[in-house]
Amino acid sequence: MLAMNPSSNPSAPVAVAAGSHLTLHYRISLADGGGDVINTFGDRPATVQLGLGQMAEPLERCLLGLAEGAHQVIELSPEQAFGERNPELVQKLSRAVFDANVDADADGAYQPGDVVDFPAPDGGRYAGVLKELTERYALFDFNHPLAGRRIRFEVQILGIL
């Protein structure tokens, strides 16, 4: 059953708009065939409200205007998705700064490839991927993990509130 649009055409389906509450299935995969990053098809659908940061803003833009029941596959360039990789976002932190700003896990050990959460000056949080850890420094990549990659975004809108 389609949700109804309160406009003058009662048979027009509701379209996704800013702030919409959605129930949907979606899949994000690498356009080069590198596999799924996330996939809700075949599992429980996701429920999100646009504009709250529950889904990346570039993906939210792809949903705007879609009607309930829509099923689309959209290929996005790096510029349209998560941007190009920025070499300035690969940074070394002194080991003292690293040790003072991260919560060690139960063993107190981080390994290359771990995502590490840091406090931001404004009270928020940000994360980086640990690339290298020595006695003197920690090398981090603060680029989005999908930066510089073409992605496929498949979406099926199940419901719009």
Side-chain angles (χ1 to χ4, degrees):
M1 182 168 143
L2 291 177
M4 293 297 129
N5 188 345
S7 69
S8 59
N9 183 357
S11 65
V14 172
V16 176
S20 290
H21 291 264
L22 306 175
T23 301
L24 70 159
H25 279 297
Y26 70 101
R27 174 186 350 251
I28 300 170
S29 58
L30 301 177
D32 62 10
D36 289 346
V37 174
I38 189 168
N39 183 357
T40 68
F41 288 91
D43 198 4
R44 293 173 41 183
T47 303
V48 299
Q49 181 178 358
L50 298 188
L52 296 182
Q54 297 171 324
M55 182 173 276
E57 192 269 335
L59 302 179
E60 285 189 1
R61 279 194 314 264
C62 295
L63 302 175
L64 296 174
L66 295 180
E68 187 170 89
H71 187 176
Q72 293 201 347
V73 177
I74 305 151
E75 193 163 308
L76 300 169
S77 69
E79 298 81 16
Q80 295 169 312
F82 297 96
E84 292 291 348
R85 292 192 55 72
N86 181 347
E88 293 179 13
L89 294 178
V90 177
Q91 300 180 358
K92 279 186 181 178
L93 300 177
S94 74
R95 185 62 191 252
V97 169
F98 171 76
D99 289 341
N101 284 289
V102 299
D103 296 324
D105 60 15
D107 296 329
Y110 284 96
Q111 301 295 318
D114 288 348
V115 175
V116 181
D117 192 46
F118 291 90
D122 66 1
R125 306 292 295 175
Y126 63 98
V129 176
L130 179 63
K131 298 306 228 177
E132 184 180 357
L133 184 62
T134 73
E135 291 180 11
R136 293 186 8 231
Y137 66 86
L139 179 66
F140 281 94
D141 185 348
F142 293 104
N143 283 287
H144 187 282
L146 295 175
R149 306 292 301 263
R150 290 187 67 78
I151 64 166
R152 285 182 78 235
F153 179 46
E154 179 180 2
V155 61
Q156 181 179 20
I157 307 293
L158 302 174
I160 303 171
L161 298 175

